[in-house]
């Protein structure tokens, strides 16, 4: 698992962005057609996304390294101006929580509506992210950083945003391919 996470971290941010958008589009399409087992798949993938978060942030880290707190929001953005590697770190923090947002939003009842499902998924991500940051600090394996929490929440929002894309995907496809309106009448 650590080798896979390291491979992802070393990959090109442009390629990862492209793949993330492809997965978002795929998840939106699957959310629309809801194949058999869709809920079950998300039920299995959600804990897997949490396990990936734990492996990337807590499991296997040696205690006793540098640790501390950075509580000032957007401090990492300021530091990134001097050290561009922080941009990659922030991007990866967001990317780490995208699958969490995708799967969590699919597990919530549809009757709640798109906005409520996205907000609940983001709130869950905020809770998990804050817990991970706290544990990193308490276990002496990393820093408690508010910017990491912000990036994680943005990543979860990105993942959950597939619901918005799914809402408009049929209209986008119709416009791209000139299929006509959804009532079966052709536009001429």
């Amino acid at each position: 698992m650590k080798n896979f996470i390291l491979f992802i971290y070393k990959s090109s941010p442009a390629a990862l962005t492209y793949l993330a958008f492809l997965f978002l589009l795929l998840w939106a399409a699957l959310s629309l057609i809801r194949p058999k087992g869709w809920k079950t798949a998300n039920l299995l993938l959600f804990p897997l996304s949490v396990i990936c978060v734990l492996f990337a942030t807590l499991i296997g880290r040696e205690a006793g390294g540098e640790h501390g707190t950075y509580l000032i929001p957007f401090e990492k953005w300021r530091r990134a101006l001097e050290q561009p590697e922080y941009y990659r770190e922030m991007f990866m923090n967001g990317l780490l929580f995208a699958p969490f947002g995708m799967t969590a939003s699919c597990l919530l009842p549809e009757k709640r509506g798109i906005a409520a499902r996205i907000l609940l998924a983001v709130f869950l991500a905020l809770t998990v992210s804050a817990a991970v940051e706290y544990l990193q600090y308490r276990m002496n394996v990393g820093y408690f950083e508010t910017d990491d929490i912000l990036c994680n929440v943005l990543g979860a929002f990105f993942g959950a945003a597939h619901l918005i894309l799914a809402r408009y995907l049929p209209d986008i496809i119709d416009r791209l391919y000139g299929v006509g309106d959804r009532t079966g009448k052709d536009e001429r």
Side-chain angles (χ1 to χ4, degrees):
M1 179 65 92
K2 281 290 187 188
N3 288 338
F4 178 71
I5 292 170
L6 189 59
F7 171 77
I8 295 292
Y9 192 82
K10 289 182 177 182
S11 297
S12 157
L16 291 173
T17 301
Y18 180 72
L19 282 173
F21 277 108
L22 281 178
F23 273 110
L24 191 72
L25 185 61
L26 174 67
W27 224 254
L30 288 171
S31 293
L32 267 178
I33 61 174
R34 288 183 208 97
K36 186 176 181 180
W38 177 242
K39 194 84 160 181
T40 305
N42 280 287
L43 196 57
L44 295 171
L45 291 172
F46 177 71
L48 186 61
S49 71
V50 174
I51 290 169
C52 286
V53 166
L54 295 176
F55 262 100
T57 57
L58 293 171
I59 298 172
R61 287 193 174 186
E62 295 288 327
E66 292 184 29
H67 77 289
T69 58
Y70 288 101
L71 300 177
I72 301 170
F74 307 110
E75 176 65 18
K76 196 174 276 186
W77 272 274
R78 187 194 61 73
R79 287 186 284 157
L81 295 172
E82 300 164 10
Q83 180 56 267
E85 183 62 23
Y86 285 119
Y87 288 121
R88 176 184 288 275
E89 187 179 319
M90 289 184 291
F91 175 73
M92 293 300 172
N93 275 324
L95 193 61
L96 181 62
F97 270 77
F100 183 97
M102 287 175 167
T103 55
S105 61
C106 286
L107 292 176
L108 299 169
E110 288 183 40
K111 65 182 177 186
R112 291 196 179 264
I114 291 173
R117 290 167 66 195
I118 290 173
L119 286 174
L120 283 169
V122 167
F123 179 74
L124 281 172
L126 173 68
T127 304
V128 169
S129 179
V132 165
E133 291 297 314
Y134 173 76
L135 288 171
Q136 281 181 333
Y137 177 74
R138 292 297 295 169
M139 294 169 59
N140 199 21
V141 295
Y143 293 92
F144 183 102
E145 297 183 69
T146 54
D147 287 342
D148 286 355
I149 296 171
L150 289 171
C151 291
N152 295 157
V153 167
L154 286 173
F157 175 77
F158 173 80
H162 81 277
L163 295 173
I164 297 169
L165 184 58
R167 164 72 177 85
Y168 295 104
L169 196 57
D171 294 334
I172 293 168
I173 291 170
D174 285 352
R175 286 196 179 115
L176 283 175
Y177 293 103
V179 175
D181 67 359
R182 306 297 276 162
T183 61
K185 300 175 198 168
D186 285 335
E187 293 179 35
R188 291 183 190 209

